[in-house]
Amino acid sequence: SRWLPVLPVLPRCRLHLLQVPRAAGPSCRRFSDLPPLTLPDIKERVLYVLKLYDKIDPDKASLTAESHFMKDLGLDSLDQVEIIMAMEDEFGFEIPDGDAEKLMCPQEIVDYIADKKDVYE
Amino acid sequence: LLSPSFSPSPSPLQFLRRQQVLQLYRKILRAIREVPAEADRRYLKDWAREEFRRNKDATEEDAIRMMITQGNMQLQELQRTLKLAKS
């Protein structure tokens, strides 16, 4: 059976729903015209994605920016792969294997994304 | 092989196998992303997760190598099917 060539609908981050109108700008809004990323933004979204992850208890205080996935949160390397894939979905770009396998806590992910997206504040 | 802490330090071969398994898992998940229907994606992701988890404590080199080969075959099958669906 052939699937229809329809693009899958990926879940969009709720922040994308906040289209802030600009005072003076181009009259035609492009889909990619999103508010610029900030560090607190990235951190909030990274933690949001982690709280949605089924192997992490969202209410436990043990989830901090420094929580090591394996040593603190008891996850394994397969979980880590799934987590980084979820981050790719959230932020809309692919993270190569070599980089992905080194990201072991939320802060490292935040720093990596900030670096790749040229976010300094 | 995939448990968080290796017992003694892993041999180079064990280390290589671990890398291969994780890379394969990632490639499979990437292919599954391309599947059009959400329900199918969900099903395939659950299937992949279950398969990899079930075998994650394997230690015998022959068994591990065979599973990696099978996994690669299934990945290729999935990729082939996706290509057909998009043509």
Side-chain angles (χ1 to χ4, degrees):
Chain A
S1 62
R2 287 172 60 124
W3 291 308
L4 292 172
V6 172
L7 288 176
V9 178
L10 295 174
R12 299 234 169 264
C13 172
R14 62 211 160 108
L15 288 177
H16 293 188
L17 297 175
L18 301 174
Q19 295 285 358
V20 178
R22 293 187 197 164
S27 51
C28 153
R29 277 195 81 74
R30 288 166 295 126
F31 181 65
S32 56
D33 229 357
L34 295 166
L37 277 182
T38 66
L39 273 180
D41 240 8
I42 297 176
K43 184 168 171 176
E44 189 194 338
R45 286 163 68 181
V46 166
L47 290 172
Y48 174 66
V49 169
L50 287 171
K51 286 180 187 161
L52 288 179
Y53 187 60
D54 62 356
K55 301 266 184 84
I56 290 180
D57 183 347
D59 300 320
K60 262 174 98 174
S62 55
L63 177 63
T64 68
E66 266 77 40
S67 303
H68 190 279
F69 295 139
M70 298 183 187
K71 295 183 221 171
D72 298 327
L73 300 175
L75 303 172
D76 66 16
S77 48
L78 292 172
D79 296 322
Q80 195 266 356
V81 169
E82 291 171 19
I83 283 172
I84 301 303
M85 297 281 297
M87 296 298 164
E88 288 182 342
D89 288 337
E90 173 62 25
F91 292 96
F93 70 101
E94 210 169 88
I95 300 176
D97 286 13
D99 294 345
E101 64 194 18
K102 299 190 179 105
L103 303 172
M104 284 295 162
C105 73
Q107 192 58 53
E108 282 173 11
I109 297 176
V110 172
D111 293 340
Y112 180 83
I113 292 170
D115 178 54
K116 292 296 164 192
K117 294 279 175 182
D118 290 325
V119 174
Y120 300 112
E121 37 175 310
Chain B
L1 190 67
L2 292 171
S3 314
S5 53
F6 297 117
S7 7
S9 56
S11 69
L13 180 59
Q14 276 181 321
F15 192 77
L16 169 69
R17 293 290 176 229
R18 185 173 184 271
Q19 291 290 86
Q20 286 174 325
V21 169
L22 294 173
Q23 276 170 10
L24 177 59
Y25 191 48
R26 198 176 279 115
K27 282 190 195 152
I28 287 176
L29 291 181
R30 289 201 197 290
I32 291 173
R33 249 185 203 154
E34 305 293 313
V35 171
E38 170 65 37
D40 292 339
R41 279 201 300 279
R42 185 74 263 154
Y43 176 80
L44 288 168
K45 276 197 276 193
D46 289 345
W47 160 79
R49 202 189 222 200
E50 181 52 41
E51 286 293 309
F52 276 81
R53 291 208 165 278
R54 186 150 36 90
N55 296 307
K56 81 168 195 173
D57 294 321
T59 48
E60 256 198 36
E61 163 58 18
D62 288 343
I64 292 172
R65 200 177 50 223
M66 188 181 69
M67 288 188 267
I68 291 174
T69 302
Q70 280 177 345
N72 271 307
M73 276 166 43
Q74 283 168 324
L75 170 62
Q76 281 167 31
E77 185 57 41
L78 178 55
Q79 287 168 331
R80 205 167 17 234
T81 313
L82 284 168
K83 211 165 155 193
L84 277 176
K86 292 185 178 174
S87 60

